[in-house]
Amino acid sequence: MMDLDSIECVSSSDGMDEDEIQHRILHPHPHHHHHTEFSSLKPRNGNNNNHVVGSTAIAPATSVHELLECPVCTNSMYPPIHQCHNGHTLCSTCKTRVHNRCPTCRQELGDIRCLALEKVAESLELPCKYYSLGCPEIFPYYSKLKHELICNFRPYTCPYAGSECSAVGDISYLVAHLRDDHKVDMHTGCTFNHRYVKSNPREVENATWMLTVFHCFGQYFCLHFEAFQLGMAPVYMAFLRFMGDENEARNYTYSLEVGANGRKLTWEGTPRSIRDSHRKVRDSHDGLIIQRNMALFFSGGDRKELKLRVTGRIWKEQQNPDGGVCIPNLCN
């Protein structure tokens, strides 16, 4: 049995002052239902017939669903659900925000639990909130939130590292977003040969190069190259991210190589999913790391300008039906 006291409403409305709360209670939007908005509502695989919930989908029971909607943050309420002496309810997160005053009638809230509404919630089964993106699953009310945190149909965030971009959507939407809004270079093929030049290699802060997107095997990959401080030492790092889920990313391998003057550094690994943030991948050092002195040695000349040529390739591991051994599948 789930400990009901351990679950709270997670609100995204931090910073809402009391006047805003009161306005929201007294002037709600007509026919308002809380759903997460996405930049793209197309199914993730672009296939309208694959796991897409259509007209036969089981939609939330609207009246009960509205009862379980917090009137302040509009998120679904999870125990403990609080109520005032007049029966108005709100979630535990918003209870502290309204200074223990009911936002509807202004009466003191006290510590009254709405046990009846909590019991009603226990009996509900609702579709995943990502059903419009293709998730066909239906869950008990208290299991739904846990599933939605890891749902394979949840939208992806923009993988662009040069700014805090808030765009979310499926892969096809993000590819168009990267191309049109961030002006990212797009390439077709599974091999690459890139040259990175920087006039003042002493500057490390904010030295993030624009990423490059590759399309091969019907998938998209993001190649990152940037400079940052690793402890006290400035370094350069290149790594690849897969535009899809982690379980799909494991089907691919990539290699990176940089060198000159008879020396070279190589890296081979599995691309990380864009579910992992750019910073998380970078801070885990999961890629080709080049110390600045080595980078300048590869650059040649008077060592006052960074000139690095990074080459690499992407391949797909395929299962051999006869021998049961993974064999690389290279694109042409």
Side-chain angles (χ1 to χ4, degrees), residues 10 17-18 21 24 33 38 45 54 73 79 91 111 140 148 166 196 218 221 236 238 243 268 319 330:
V10 179
D17 60 30
E18 196 166 332
I21 291 170
R24 201 160 181 174
H33 303 294
F38 305 109
N45 296 325
C73 65
C91 71
D111 292 309
E148 288 169 353
S166 60
Y196 298 98
F221 301 82
Y236 301 95
M243 295 188 71
E268 183 174 308
Q319 196 74 18
L330 303 180

Side-chain angles (χ1 to χ4, degrees), residues 245-305:
D245 283 329
E246 181 181 359
N247 59 339
E248 297 176 87
R250 295 194 190 103
N251 296 324
Y252 301 91
T253 305
Y254 75 102
S255 64
L256 297 172
E257 181 178 303
V258 61
N261 300 321
R263 277 87 171 167
K264 67 179 180 181
L265 292 174
T266 60
W267 164 268
E268 183 174 308
T270 301
R272 296 279 286 272
S273 165
I274 60 171
R275 295 284 190 207
D276 290 335
S277 69
H278 162 268
R279 181 175 292 275
K280 180 179 180 180
V281 179
R282 190 196 73 179
D283 291 349
S284 66
H285 309 154
D286 193 0
L288 176 65
I289 296 179
I290 313 159
Q291 301 291 335
R292 183 168 64 186
N293 286 339
M294 181 64 73
L296 292 175
F297 176 78
F298 289 152
S299 298
D302 56 9
R303 299 165 63 92
K304 292 182 179 179
E305 185 177 46

